[in-house]
Amino acid sequence: DQHPLQHAAANAIAAVGLTRGAGDGYICSGMDVFLTREPCVFCAMALLHSRVARVFYVEPNADTGALGSRLLLHTSRRLNHRFLAFRVVLGLSSTSRAEHE
């Protein structure tokens, strides 16, 4: 069974902690995060708490997306850290584009 807290962004932050050792290993100051899907509120708060610099994602998350689809959590002035978030739009290659036209 999958644990409910096993989200991609949270797992990535935990992996940073393992590589950095004890103490503040979860702190990701200045790091960029690349995700296939827009993070939910849980993951966005984990990213915020870990002090990332930028988050790039491909697929919006219409149900629970916290970086543009439903909320703009990363820009809230009520929180003590903010980061930049970008939705990356992947284009079709010229070969794929020709196949879809």
Side-chain angles (χ1 to χ4, degrees):
D1 291 319
Q2 182 119 7
H3 192 281
L5 299 181
Q6 296 294 318
H7 292 213
N11 289 343
I13 293 166
V16 168
L18 290 174
T19 61
R20 288 191 170 184
D24 63 353
Y26 69 93
I27 298 295
C28 301
S29 294
M31 292 185 180
D32 292 338
V33 177
F34 297 86
L35 301 166
T36 54
R37 188 169 176 151
E38 178 184 3
C40 64
V41 173
F42 171 77
C43 287
M45 283 302 294
L47 291 163
L48 188 132
H49 186 63
S50 69
R51 305 289 194 261
V52 300
R54 301 182 298 181
V55 174
F56 299 86
Y57 66 92
V58 177
E59 182 183 324
N61 183 346
D63 294 329
T64 61
L67 303 183
S69 293
R70 304 289 287 176
L71 301 169
L72 293 171
L73 194 102
H74 62 295
T75 63
S76 175
R77 294 194 185 278
R78 292 180 175 188
L79 301 171
N80 64 357
H81 177 73
R82 284 172 285 290
F83 58 86
L84 299 174
F86 302 92
R87 177 173 177 223
V88 177
V89 179
L90 301 177
L92 296 173
S93 68
S94 57
T95 305
S96 297
R97 190 176 300 121
E99 291 172 1
H100 287 36
E101 292 178 348

